[in-house]
Amino acid sequence: MANLESWIIEQGLRGSNMTALLSGFVEGLMAEGVPLVRAYVALPTVNPTIRVYTHVWTRSSGTMVEGVSHERNANAFEASPFAHMMRTEQTEGYWQVDSPDAEPFGVFEDVRREGGTDYLARLFSFENASAPDLRGIGISFSSSRPGGFLPEEIARIDALLPLLGLAAYRMTLFDLTVAMLDTYVGLSAGRRVLSGEIRRGVGTTLTAALLFADLRGFTSLADASGMDLIVRLDQHLEAMAEPVAEQCGEVLKFMGDGVLAAFPISEHRSREEACAAAIRAAQTALERNEAVNRRHETPLSLDIALHCGDVFYGNIGAAGRLDFTVIGPAVNEASRMEALCSTLDCALILSESVASVSPVPVRSLGSHRLRGIAAERELFTLAEVSGATA
């Protein structure tokens, strides 16, 4: 690299990742003669499960990344140099960790194990009112020189850190955008939006096995239990959604107490494979829903319909408020099938398009008229599923 400043700017503009940014930054400083043994960057995020991502480079192990959950390590942070700096309203900190009277911060033991002699810490605030949870980043460096960093080395690091912080902020915002789209609209839909499929009415037609699931009796239970039911609803929705992901499907939408999911058919996955994946996901969802019910006094039955057909997958909605989802006759038919689960007293209903390629035995439930569909449809269930008879 011509110089470290230009390299950092290039990384920030090119959209590299934090692992490469931190590793390259450390290598650049060491090439200039700075004897680093450890570097650390903590980046906050807005994520339902992860509170902060930590990036730790050590001379012995390279760069390692860890996502810290909201529930874990709260006490560890409170006992860290960064928490001390925040409590004392400092943005800069420096300690000699090999001194007998060094502060008793737990991280100093990690530094000493790497052969470090000091701990240089800096806090950078982002101060973005539109993203208040992205408060800023914490950065630290440790050297192996007896007596610690030289004054000119500290000055060099401090001169570079604003650039490093800006590049890290840009990467954090991009990662946050990707994570939010993955979380709220789904992995496939999120990547399509990022690739530019953002115009209303723009999308594609695809063939997929569809899973339409809904809790029976939830509405009346919700009326009786109020807000206390949200935690339980999450448990049921997780029982439905996790098996979909495990079978390489995608949850397209949570609809109150129900789920719409798809298992796309492509050159890499045949119709038989997609339908088999949908069946396995349905079986597992029913089992896990029963496990949730065993933890509660009032059980909630899960009804699932599986169908296969062509759907439109794309942007639908108002000009300023779009939803990336699927629509089409196949979706409507799956919904109408699920509505018959209660009438037929059957937890799982398959259309002929799914039953004909089922890897496990099925049995007929007879022909039935679906609301809004002229011709009767023969419906099926798995032979192992108890309930209705034709």
Side-chain angles (χ1 to χ4, degrees):
M1 64 190 71
N3 61 70
L4 196 47
E5 289 88 345
S6 297
W7 182 84
I8 297 170
I9 294 171
E10 180 186 4
Q11 294 299 300
L13 292 174
R14 197 169 62 188
S16 183
N17 58 71
M18 271 306 303
T19 300
L21 179 64
L22 180 60
S23 299
F25 183 76
V26 168
E27 291 168 6
L29 284 176
M30 294 181 69
E32 294 181 4
V34 181
L36 292 171
V37 294
R38 187 181 188 273
Y40 171 91
V41 176
L43 287 164
T45 187
V46 181
N47 185 288
T49 57
I50 303 298
R51 172 170 52 90
V52 63
Y53 283 101
T54 62
H55 301 73
V56 182
W57 175 91
T58 60
R59 193 165 55 186
S60 61
S61 303
T63 302
M64 310 206 40
V65 183
E66 181 184 14
V68 180
S69 69
H70 293 278
E71 295 78 19
R72 187 167 67 86
N73 285 359
N75 294 333
F77 174 76
E78 290 303 318
S80 71
F82 292 114
H84 169 78
M85 293 166 64
M86 294 175 66
R87 286 192 296 268
T88 56
E89 298 183 348
Q90 299 179 67
T91 59
E92 299 181 355
Y94 184 68
W95 293 267
Q96 295 284 342
V97 303
D98 57 355
S99 171
D101 55 352
E103 295 280 352
F105 295 123
V107 69
F108 287 176
E109 184 57 37
D110 296 336
V111 174
R112 284 189 283 264
R113 279 197 298 267
E114 292 293 332
T117 59
D118 58 355
Y119 189 88
L120 177 72
R122 298 290 187 262
L123 287 172
F124 281 86
S125 175
F126 294 154
E127 297 182 356
N128 189 336
S130 62
D133 279 354
L134 296 179
R135 301 175 62 183
I137 61 176
I139 307 175
S140 72
F141 300 94
S142 297
S143 76
S144 60
R145 178 181 286 109
F149 287 114
L150 298 176
E152 56 267 29
E153 292 171 339
I154 294 178
R156 175 62 172 155
I157 291 173
D158 283 336
L160 292 169
L161 284 185
L163 285 178
L164 182 71
L166 188 59
Y169 187 38
R170 182 247 188 258
M171 294 175 188
T172 299
L173 288 179
F174 179 78
D175 291 344
L176 174 61
T177 301
V178 173
M180 288 297 98
L181 286 172
D182 288 348
T183 300
Y184 285 96
V185 303
L187 181 62
S188 175
R191 302 310 159 93
R192 286 173 178 265
V193 171
L194 283 175
S195 68
E197 294 185 34
I198 56 175
R199 294 179 56 198
R200 182 169 58 165
V202 173
T204 185
T205 299
L206 59 85
T207 305
L210 301 174
L211 181 150
F212 199 103
D214 191 63
L215 286 174
R216 192 190 309 177
F218 176 78
T219 302
S220 59
L221 189 60
D223 291 340
S225 304
M227 293 298 294
D228 292 341
L229 203 60
I230 291 179
V231 173
R232 180 173 179 184
L233 176 59
D234 285 340
Q235 295 172 357
H236 286 283
L237 292 176
E238 190 169 53
M240 303 178 213
E242 284 190 343
V244 171
E246 291 165 6
Q247 295 299 326
C248 298
E250 182 171 357
V251 172
L252 301 174
K253 188 181 292 295
F254 290 104
M255 301 169 294
D257 58 345
V259 164
L260 172 62
F263 301 80
I265 296 169
S266 67
E267 59 181 9
H268 305 296
R269 181 159 64 174
S270 67
R271 174 173 162 236
E272 289 80 2
E273 291 169 335
C275 290
I279 290 172
R280 289 192 296 269
Q283 291 173 302
T284 304
L286 290 170
E287 294 170 359
R288 293 184 185 176
N289 188 71
E290 286 304 309
V292 173
N293 281 331
R294 288 193 289 272
R295 302 200 296 267
H296 300 277
E297 182 177 350
T298 304
L300 291 174
S301 298
L302 178 60
D303 294 332
I304 301 178
L306 301 180
H307 185 41
C308 184
D310 294 334
V311 296
F312 174 80
Y313 187 45
N315 292 282
I316 301 160
R321 177 62 175 89
L322 296 174
D323 192 10
F324 207 104
T325 187
V326 296
I327 61 170
V331 179
N332 297 335
E333 192 161 335
S335 173
R336 305 296 189 263
M337 289 167 53
E338 184 277 325
L340 284 178
C341 286
S342 177
T343 302
L344 298 178
D345 187 28
C346 186
L348 177 60
I349 293 179
L350 284 62
S351 69
E352 191 278 334
S353 60
V354 175
S356 63
V357 293
S358 173
V360 294
V362 300
R363 58 186 175 90
S364 176
L365 296 173
S367 295
H368 299 270
R369 188 174 300 280
L370 304 178
R371 182 168 60 86
I373 299 175
E376 288 189 343
R377 297 284 195 265
E378 184 177 9
L379 302 179
F380 301 81
T381 190
L382 300 184
E384 65 183 32
V385 175
S386 61
T389 56

